[in-house]
Amino acid sequence: MTVTGAIDAGLDAADRLTLDEAATLLPGATVTVVGSAGMGAAALAMGAASVRVSDDSDPATEALDASVFDGTSVVLLRLPKSLAALDRLARLVASSAPSDVVVVAGGRLKYMSLGMNEVLSRSFETVDVSLARQKSRVLVARRPQAAATVPPSLLHDDELGLWVGSVGGVFAGSSVDIGTRALLSTLDRTPDYGTAVDLGCGTGILAAELKRRRPTARVIASDVSADAVASARETAKANGLDFEIVRQRGLENLVDASVDLVLLNPPFHDGGGVSLDAAHAMFGEAARVLKPGAQLWTVWNSHLGYATALRRIVGPTTELARTPKFTVTASTKSID
């Protein structure tokens, strides 16, 4: 069976190949889809009895934990780029799903590596490889083996004096990336805050530092990624810090004009290319929740030239620091 027509809407070549390779398995199956909500709708159209969807970039879908694979007979997976994320997922399936579960995992060739086969082989007895089609390929894993779950990674950053926790494929893992470190170096100059947000929190290290500096403040770590939220929880726990951690798109659960300070290290990659859309959307969310006169502190790769957008979306913007690669700015919410 080949994926065609309405089923094909919104799917790329890797998704279509994954569905084609799984076509004979889907009728009557209990399916869990990871990483591509579009494949969930297609699987139902192709005869699946039920479908659960877990997508790290969509907080409306189920969180990726053992319960999502309970009773699953087929897993349709969009291969993550991170081997750590793939390892965590494979171990979850192997330890939680029935013994006859089949994992059908597709990806674009430019993002795939032999390391993915090796990772899957740690949790499954057989891993087969499809023929390539339209620059995509599928790995099919069967016969799960007993596999210990992967504990969160913890690494102590001696410079900061903080533990950094990481789960799955969270950005930078348990290390502190140099952009975040540049932003951290300026925090002794932040204005007073009663409520502060670490937007796109990743491992939550910015939230941890905000809370450590002002223990009585309300500090919120927010990210769309389930791995990031889980990582921030590990960071908070390891450092004995109590801050709020929320999985949400943008800051949709915060009301307008309610926040004194937002810290942001925005992403600028979309797939393999550079995209400013996510950062601009995050500037808009920060502007919405900031009180008049409150500030957004942002670190960004200097070549991206975000200052103009920050002035337009948030308000007057000044440079706080510059390294050979990064710029840190403070943008003040305009008072109407």
Side-chain angles (χ1 to χ4, degrees), residues 32-329:
T32 297
V33 177
V34 181
S36 172
M39 282 201 292
L44 283 172
M46 294 169 71
S50 65
V51 173
R52 300 184 186 112
V53 177
S54 179
D55 186 341
D56 195 54
S57 64
D58 185 354
T61 65
E62 297 190 43
L64 186 61
D65 57 25
S67 65
V68 81
F69 299 111
D70 184 31
T72 295
S73 53
V74 178
V75 176
L76 301 179
L77 168 64
R78 184 58 183 252
L79 284 165
K81 297 176 188 177
S82 162
L83 294 181
L86 180 59
D87 189 36
R88 174 175 177 256
L89 191 149
R91 290 172 186 264
L92 280 173
V93 176
S95 62
S96 309
S99 60
D100 60 350
V101 67
V102 181
V103 178
V104 187
R108 303 290 284 168
L109 289 174
K110 62 182 177 180
Y111 299 128
M112 295 178 69
S113 69
L114 290 176
M116 292 178 170
N117 305 52
E118 296 169 6
V119 165
L120 288 172
S121 295
R122 296 174 197 160
S123 297
F124 296 87
E125 291 187 20
T126 65
V127 178
D128 298 314
V129 183
S130 78
L131 295 174
R133 189 181 82 191
Q134 293 182 300
K135 299 181 180 179
S136 302
R137 195 184 296 276
V138 167
L139 307 178
V140 180
R142 293 181 172 88
R143 301 173 64 188
Q145 306 179 86
T149 56
V150 180
S153 174
L154 282 173
L155 185 67
H156 191 265
D157 189 290
D158 294 336
E159 180 181 339
L160 299 175
L162 287 169
W163 290 94
V164 186
S166 67
V167 172
V170 67
F171 174 69
S174 294
S175 63
V176 179
D177 70 281
I178 56 176
T180 295
R181 204 174 290 278
L183 180 52
L184 283 163
S185 72
T186 67
L187 295 191
D188 57 349
R189 290 182 274 161
T190 57
D192 193 19
Y193 51 88
T195 300
V197 175
D198 176 2
L199 174 55
C201 66
T203 61
I205 197 66
L206 289 170
E209 183 62 18
L210 286 169
K211 189 66 175 180
R212 185 169 68 167
R213 287 172 179 267
R214 288 184 172 80
T216 61
R218 181 191 181 194
V219 175
I220 303 162
S222 172
D223 206 296
V224 70
S225 164
D227 280 356
V229 165
S231 299
R233 290 197 183 105
E234 295 300 326
T235 296
K237 179 180 175 182
N239 291 293
L241 296 168
D242 183 17
F243 54 85
E244 299 174 38
I245 302 164
V246 184
R247 186 185 182 203
Q248 60 185 333
R249 191 181 304 281
L251 295 173
E252 60 190 7
N253 293 325
L254 291 177
V255 300
D256 296 358
S258 61
V259 173
D260 301 302
L261 177 66
V262 177
L263 301 185
L264 173 60
N265 180 1
F268 64 92
H269 284 107
D270 182 6
V274 173
S275 173
L276 309 185
D277 293 345
H280 287 188
M282 295 171 94
F283 299 162
E285 281 292 276
R288 180 182 64 80
V289 302
L290 285 170
K291 299 174 182 177
Q295 292 188 332
L296 165 65
W297 286 38
T298 311
V299 61
W300 37 278
N301 291 66
S302 298
H303 72 274
L304 296 174
Y306 280 147
T308 300
L310 286 164
R311 292 188 186 99
R312 173 174 55 83
I313 297 170
V314 183
T317 296
T318 59
E319 183 178 301
L320 297 170
R322 183 184 287 267
T323 70
K325 188 173 182 180
F326 292 98
T327 298
V328 182
T329 53

Side-chain angles (χ1 to χ4, degrees), residues 11-25:
L11 303 175
D12 69 5
D15 293 334
R16 292 193 296 270
L17 182 58
T18 301
L19 288 161
D20 286 347
E21 291 292 323
T24 60
L25 304 171

